[in-house]
Amino acid sequence: GHVVRNWKVRWFVLLQDKLLYYKIEGGKKEPSPKGRILLDGCTITCPCLEYENRPLLIKLKTKTNTDYFLECCSREERDSWALDITGAIHAGHPVQVQELHRMKNSFKLLDNISLHDIVERMYDSNTGIKLTRNLDQGNRYKETFTGSALVDWLISNSFAVSRFEAVTLASMLMDENFIRPVGTRSTEAMRFSDPSEKFLDDSTALYMFAENRKKNTSSKEEVQFNISELSGTIVKQGFLVKQGHKRKNWKVRKFVLRADPAFLHYYDPTKEENKPVGGFSLRGCLVSALEDNGVPAGVKGNVQGNLFKIITKNDIHYYIQASSKAERVQWIEAIKPLT
């Protein structure tokens, strides 16, 4: 927000020369846009590092020097939006647009990769990546590693078969806030909007782990529990509207569906920290669509339709609204195989 610097869910529509955004009420966007961002003369920064705990940001600066910070719900979605917005900004330059689409199609996620497993291996005192002290323009950094050293390590440990794949994987680790750039060379590279150039396969680019691990036993056990629950492969994610358990009000939440282990977590998009506010195991759950004619028992408040219900094996009922019938079907079909 421009006045109150909080975060709000908005529905965005990209046109040829502008970006429109709408308020969401009861799971549906309002008919008139809340505002617009004129793209003529805009500059785009992606990824944007101005908020340390929000790695999925895009920054737009208009030609009147107004800054807009937009957060996406996944790295893939962020990069896709950034490329499409950049294409709209440079619409008058077809060669640049063609190059953008080439980059978009070439930057693919690797299959069957668990980032948490990779980080665990990186931390290993015997086979993990070697941490060293490094100097950069008078600054001394402890426990860092170079970009080329990480690429070499990923290939030697069979996480990637080529340097291009290793750079892609290292970029994913950085996007998910497992590692972060330090020093001038690597932080400057993060300002590129081209996803393939933000991590450097270079012996002068420095990186380090984003957070130090907890050293006492109790906190380590807690971290291990969280990692086991949040380490599954992301199957689907997006914004839905969920009914609260106590006040029975409806709030927009970012849902993340994971497999192996199968969990559904939800996040408050207005909170600064990127931590789930709730979630549950999908094993033994029942999921079903609810009819749109009438309000089912147990549902209160502003119901716009497109409801579905999840009942956990502990008989806890979750009522959720999608923005359309098609989206409801997609979520149900994604959840069912994991129950």
Side-chain angles (χ1 to χ4, degrees), residues 15-299:
L15 302 180
Q16 186 174 2
D17 60 345
K18 66 177 72 74
L19 194 60
L20 304 179
Y21 54 94
Y22 298 76
K23 287 182 67 175
I24 298 290
E25 292 293 342
K28 291 186 177 181
K29 72 181 180 73
E30 293 189 336
S32 300
K34 174 75 173 175
R36 63 179 183 169
I37 304 171
L38 298 178
L39 297 178
D40 180 38
C42 263
T43 58
I44 183 169
T45 303
C46 177
C48 171
L49 300 180
E50 296 190 29
Y51 291 85
E52 184 177 352
N53 57 349
R54 290 182 178 270
L56 303 179
L57 284 185
I58 297 170
K59 178 183 177 181
L60 290 175
K61 180 184 282 292
T62 68
K63 65 180 180 180
T64 59
N65 289 323
T66 302
D67 291 339
Y68 291 88
F69 295 93
L70 317 176
E71 183 179 37
C72 300
C73 66
S74 69
R75 186 197 63 78
E76 300 93 329
E77 185 179 74
R78 182 201 64 190
D79 292 344
S80 178
W81 271 100
L83 285 163
D84 288 338
I85 293 171
T86 305
I89 292 172
H90 298 297
H93 305 280
V95 175
Q96 285 182 287
V97 174
Q98 186 177 9
E99 179 67 11
L100 285 165
H101 284 293
R102 184 195 66 77
M103 292 188 303
K104 183 176 180 179
N105 292 331
S106 66
F107 192 73
K108 300 294 185 184
L109 287 176
L110 305 178
D111 294 330
N112 303 319
I113 291 291
S114 170
L115 298 183
H116 288 280
D117 290 344
I118 295 173
V119 174
E120 286 295 309
R121 291 275 296 277
M122 288 176 67
Y123 271 113
D124 189 279
S125 57
N126 296 318
T127 61
I129 193 163
K130 302 304 180 186
L131 303 177
T132 59
R133 293 171 179 261
N134 280 285
L135 284 171
D136 181 80
Q137 295 189 355
N139 296 314
R140 182 180 294 275
Y141 298 102
K142 297 180 180 180
E143 298 187 326
T144 61
F145 46 87
T146 67
S148 57
L150 178 54
V151 170
D152 291 340
W153 185 88
L154 290 169
I155 294 173
S156 65
N157 284 270
S158 302
F159 290 115
V161 297
S162 68
R163 300 195 80 81
F164 173 78
E165 286 188 2
V167 168
T168 304
L169 190 51
S171 298
M172 294 166 61
L173 291 170
M174 192 160 55
D175 289 336
E176 298 301 326
N177 210 29
F178 288 111
I179 64 173
R180 64 184 180 89
V182 293
T184 305
R185 184 109 164 82
S186 54
T187 52
E188 283 291 327
M190 287 290 287
R191 298 179 183 177
F192 285 94
S193 60
D194 177 0
S196 65
E197 294 185 20
K198 60 194 171 190
F199 179 88
L200 298 178
D201 179 6
D202 194 296
S203 61
T204 63
L206 301 180
Y207 300 88
M208 65 188 303
F209 290 112
E211 294 182 359
N212 291 325
R213 290 171 129 195
K214 308 288 193 300
K215 293 187 177 180
N216 60 70
T217 305
S218 61
S219 61
K220 185 173 182 180
E221 288 175 352
E222 181 181 350
V223 170
Q224 290 295 331
F225 171 77
N226 289 335
I227 286 177
S228 67
E229 186 173 313
L230 297 170
S231 64
T233 304
I234 295 178
V235 176
K236 185 175 177 60
Q237 56 187 320
F239 292 99
L240 298 166
V241 185
K242 173 187 167 294
Q243 180 178 258
H245 287 293
K246 295 180 180 179
R247 298 180 59 189
K248 303 298 183 183
N249 55 346
W250 294 90
K251 292 184 178 180
V252 175
R253 292 290 181 254
K254 181 176 77 173
F255 280 80
V256 178
L257 176 63
R258 293 180 172 90
D260 300 320
F263 274 84
L264 184 63
H265 294 95
Y266 48 94
Y267 300 72
D268 185 345
T270 66
K271 299 293 186 183
E272 288 290 335
E273 66 273 8
N274 189 30
K275 296 179 180 178
V277 295
F280 50 91
S281 170
L282 290 173
R283 296 303 179 194
C285 283
L286 298 174
V287 57
S288 60
L290 298 176
E291 296 298 329
D292 292 337
N293 52 348
V295 179
V299 176

